Amino acid sequence: HTRTTFTDDGEFMLVGTYRDGYSYLCKAHVPTGDLTTLCDPIKSDGLAINPSTLAPKSGWTFFWDGGTLRSINIHTLEERVVIKDIGHEWAGSLMSVDPEEKFVVSAIGMKNPDELAGLPKDQVRNYKVVFAEGKGLTSKLVQAPIEGGEPEVVFVDEGVKLCHVEHNPVDGDLFYLDRDRPPMFHAGGDGSKTSRCWTLKLSTGELTALTPAAEAKFQIHAAWSWDGEFLLYHGPAKLVWGPCPWYIGAIRKDGTPYREWTFPEGTHYGHVASAPDRPAIIIDGNLSPNLLQWLYYDGEKPRIEPICEHNTELNTVPNNQLSHAHPSTDRQGRWVGFNVAKDKRTFVHVVEV
């Protein structure tokens, strides 16, 4: 995602790791690879500290520790509690820092009521089953001052589950969010009839759908362009199980279509990221199973340029997400960072552009 991984000068990036039942959050000095552990290890179920995000100018990083939103400065190691407790019935989710670095905003979602009721594991229904019709399902955006102060709920969404969220890089009032509808939620929403990606004006609550032109309206991943003018996205062109063509595109922040192409040969799973130094979408899949590539959107026809091989071995570690390349860039356009799974371990790689 845009503005979440590297400091603005490109010298440091966040790295999460999981070892022996504990997760650790670290900063990596990118030119040398030196690692510094930022906090005491947290008991974990196999996920690296997640979700977490970085304020790229000040160096404050934010992460959920149970129902507490904690913050650590990667330069000074000063610690803060930003939100003390969201309540046992809520789970902290993905978050974002505004461009001026005054606020952090996080999605929070309802925990599975079967788990809250203490039912045995074999009696706990899948989340999708419990909320198959969206009844009783509520998601919220909670905003808290980075320097300290009372958090407040700035948006409530009924009948949907919020997933990826991200401030526009130049407009702190404009927010992108994924609104996952039942019955398929993150796997297709309402049968891909409705866009997954929306913008929200935090000051007014106004929602705008960023709808692709393709038959299947449910995007899988998206990220702001670094200049804040476009949301870059991709998704399967048809709602089917298994390989199918993917579309990749850029849509203006007001919802006006700009570029979108469907690639019949682009059947590989992947992700999108924004390139700060060129009008291009970084893809780690879709058109290739093992390449990072730039897909340029400044012309009517797509132009593709390889960056490097990533060669990650997808879905070979217990948490499949950690085997996905998930590329990320720094503001200067110097680095592209990505994950690699190999021999049942995961690594963080960086390519110098």
Side-chain angles (χ1 to χ4, degrees), residues 16 52 182 206 280:
S52 58
E206 179 185 359

Side-chain angles (χ1 to χ4, degrees), residues 187-217:
D190 58 356
S192 211
K193 300 172 185 175
T194 306
S195 176
R196 184 186 203 190
C197 300
W198 296 66
T199 58
L200 168 71
K201 293 284 286 186
L202 289 169
S203 59
T204 65
E206 179 185 359
L207 285 165
T208 301
L210 304 184
T211 304
E215 174 188 342
K217 304 302 181 186

Side-chain angles (χ1 to χ4, degrees), residues 46 60 69 87-88 116 149 157 189 205 232 244 247 253 256 273 319 325 328 346:
W60 285 100
L69 183 61
H88 77 282
L116 290 174
D157 217 355
L232 315 175
C244 74
Y247 58 80
K253 60 186 177 182
T256 304
N319 177 6
S328 185
T346 58

Side-chain angles (χ1 to χ4, degrees), residues 177-304:
L177 66 167
D178 284 342
R179 305 176 70 216
D180 294 352
R181 300 170 184 271
M184 301 179 71
F185 292 99
H186 71 277
D190 58 356
S192 211
K193 300 172 185 175
T194 306
S195 176
R196 184 186 203 190
C197 300
W198 296 66
T199 58
L200 168 71
K201 293 284 286 186
L202 289 169
S203 59
T204 65
E206 179 185 359
L207 285 165
T208 301
L210 304 184
T211 304
E215 174 188 342
K217 304 302 181 186
F218 190 88
Q219 306 96 325
I220 297 298
H221 302 109
W224 284 112
S225 61
W226 276 89
D227 62 7
E229 291 299 313
F230 301 100
L231 191 76
L232 315 175
Y233 62 89
H234 73 169
K238 295 183 178 181
L239 186 62
V240 297
W241 294 111
C244 74
W246 283 61
Y247 58 80
I248 307 174
I251 190 167
R252 296 187 188 276
K253 60 186 177 182
D254 65 358
T256 304
Y258 182 65
R259 300 277 189 257
E260 185 176 301
W261 304 282
T262 296
F263 298 89
E265 74 282 14
T267 60
H268 305 285
Y269 188 78
H271 307 81
V272 295
S274 175
D277 59 336
R278 64 196 72 203
I281 305 167
I282 296 176
I283 55 176
D284 63 11
N286 297 156
L287 304 181
S288 166
N290 68 323
L291 291 178
L292 288 180
Q293 300 182 92
W294 287 295
L295 172 63
Y296 289 85
Y297 56 85
D298 55 346
E300 291 188 6
K301 293 185 178 181
R303 213 161 33 93
I304 299 166

